Amino acid sequence: MSARKPIRKAVFPVAGLGTRFLPATKAIPKELLPIVDRPLIQYAVDEAREAGIDQIIFVTGRGKTAIVEHFDIAYELENTMVERGKSLAVLDATRAVPGDIITVRQQVPLGLGHAIWCARAIVGDEPFAIMLPDELMVGTPGCMAQMVEAYNQVGGNLISVLEVPIEQVPSYGVIDPGAVLEGFGGALTEVKGLVEKPPLDQAPSNKIISGRYILQPEVMRTLENQEKGAGGEIQLTDAMARMIGTQPFHAVTFAGRRFDCGSKVGFVEATLALALEREDIGADVRRIAERLLRG
Ligand code: G1P
């Protein structure tokens, strides 16, 4: 039996302009907006590391260098904190091992598919993960760890999915689900088709792609000649759809909670939900929230 190649690399497309969060994102990458006291990107990187992934590939762009700074060692800050007797534990997850963070630039915003293709030389000939940091996935184990576990069982290509109210479907990539695989508690479904941002009356289901993928390296060759799709952009979903039939594709239904932090309402929801759960501030936040709601 040949062993499956482990998933060691994750591509994080972080070149987006973040126009939905202007003016907050004029000078600050949207990926650094905090949910309580951790930037969005940190949640996604921690989730990848929990899944055993140690090579973080940022597909970045102009004005986004602060993301890389976030994962560097900040000598002045650390020295000052040490002098003042403060613990550095709060910075632990931000101190990358040298060489573990790699960046490539997406010079023009041609779409998610194009962003992923920009990382082709670094991904090489290995299966790899993709994580969209806008989607905040909260679970134990985390979403990517659940996907890696499924990958170890079935291999091939995996997409995380979740069900949303049908009227939300036109904002996402949507799967056409096939048979449910036996033995995974209903969590693994065959994918028969994929469509990016379908009109409501053409949606094959209400199961949307929720921003986590494990893909075989062949997707890079498919992206190479991918034509523009929804929104005039080169879509990852379209490239994956073309691979169905030549490669196994399965959907993993994430057991956990998901917040769409690409929208303002989702961002506020995530902030409130995670603040309420915090040991240090949860009780205070609850009191304040209840007071505000009483009006
Ligand atoms: C992207 C993907 C889409 C997916 C979504 C998840 O869309 O293209 O398939 O459902 O992320 O958030 P975007 O949000 O970049 O328009």
Side-chain angles (χ1 to χ4, degrees):
M1 202 182 103
S2 70
R4 276 194 184 97
K5 282 192 187 168
I7 309 299
R8 297 181 50 225
K9 300 178 178 177
V11 178
F12 295 70
V14 293
L17 295 174
T19 48
R20 270 190 268 178
F21 282 87
L22 283 170
T25 48
K26 187 177 174 194
I28 297 168
K30 69 170 173 177
E31 295 80 6
L32 290 182
L33 296 179
I35 302 291
V36 188
D37 50 11
R38 244 162 111 199
L40 262 181
I41 188 71
Q42 181 85 61
Y43 289 89
V45 166
D46 291 352
E47 183 192 324
R49 286 182 175 146
E50 183 214 357
I53 291 168
D54 53 15
Q55 292 180 26
I56 307 295
I57 304 163
F58 291 135
V59 181
T60 177
R62 284 165 56 76
K64 292 293 193 113
T65 28
I67 297 174
V68 183
E69 298 280 334
H70 177 76
F71 292 97
D72 202 352
I73 295 175
Y75 285 105
E76 310 89 308
L77 175 67
E78 293 192 8
N79 287 346
T80 311
M81 286 173 73
V82 169
E83 274 168 27
R84 293 182 186 167
K86 289 196 165 41
S87 163
L88 295 181
V90 75
L91 296 174
D92 278 353
T94 69
R95 301 157 110 249
V97 175
D100 274 8
I101 294 208
I102 301 159
T103 62
V104 283
R105 305 267 279 209
Q106 183 190 25
Q107 289 119 324
V108 264
L110 294 179
L112 177 59
H114 178 257
I116 301 305
W117 177 78
C118 289
R120 66 199 177 284
I122 302 165
V123 165
D125 198 25
E126 288 179 38
F128 66 106
I130 299 172
M131 324 250 316
L132 309 189
D134 271 4
E135 298 279 354
L136 175 52
M137 310 298 256
V138 180
T140 317
C143 185
M144 189 45 71
Q146 291 182 24
M147 292 185 69
V148 166
E149 202 189 317
Y151 174 80
N152 290 337
Q153 311 270 342
V154 296
N157 299 272
L158 293 162
I159 308 164
S160 75
V161 297
L162 47 88
E163 294 190 47
V164 297
I166 192 77
E167 62 277 7
Q168 292 178 17
V169 155
S171 304
Y172 298 100
V174 184
I175 70 158
D176 182 2
V180 174
L181 263 69
E182 305 242 342
F184 296 93
L188 260 183
T189 313
E190 197 189 320
V191 177
K192 289 195 302 184
L194 287 161
V195 42
E196 182 69 14
K197 304 196 172 80
L200 203 47
D201 59 350
Q202 287 166 34
S205 75
N206 67 339
K207 292 190 171 188
I208 62 150
I209 304 173
S210 65
R212 301 291 183 274
Y213 313 75
I214 291 177
L215 298 179
Q216 296 299 317
E218 286 77 15
V219 72
M220 294 299 190
R221 287 196 276 287
T222 312
L223 282 167
E224 187 94 45
N225 55 18
Q226 185 59 48
E227 299 193 344
K228 288 180 180 172
E233 298 190 335
I234 296 171
Q235 296 290 355
L236 178 62
T237 305
D238 295 344
M240 294 190 301
R242 282 166 61 212
M243 288 166 72
I244 294 174
T246 66
Q247 295 227 354
F249 261 89
H250 291 99
V252 181
T253 304
F254 171 50
R257 285 176 300 159
R258 166 260 185 178
F259 301 97
D260 181 358
C261 293
S263 84
K264 287 174 211 181
V265 172
F267 193 91
V268 173
E269 181 191 2
T271 304
L272 187 57
L274 298 198
L276 285 169
E277 285 164 18
R278 289 270 297 241
E279 268 182 32
D280 52 350
I281 57 169
D284 285 343
V285 173
R286 181 171 302 277
R287 227 179 352 265
I288 292 164
E290 283 169 355
R291 194 184 69 218
L292 289 171
L293 288 172
R294 274 196 306 271

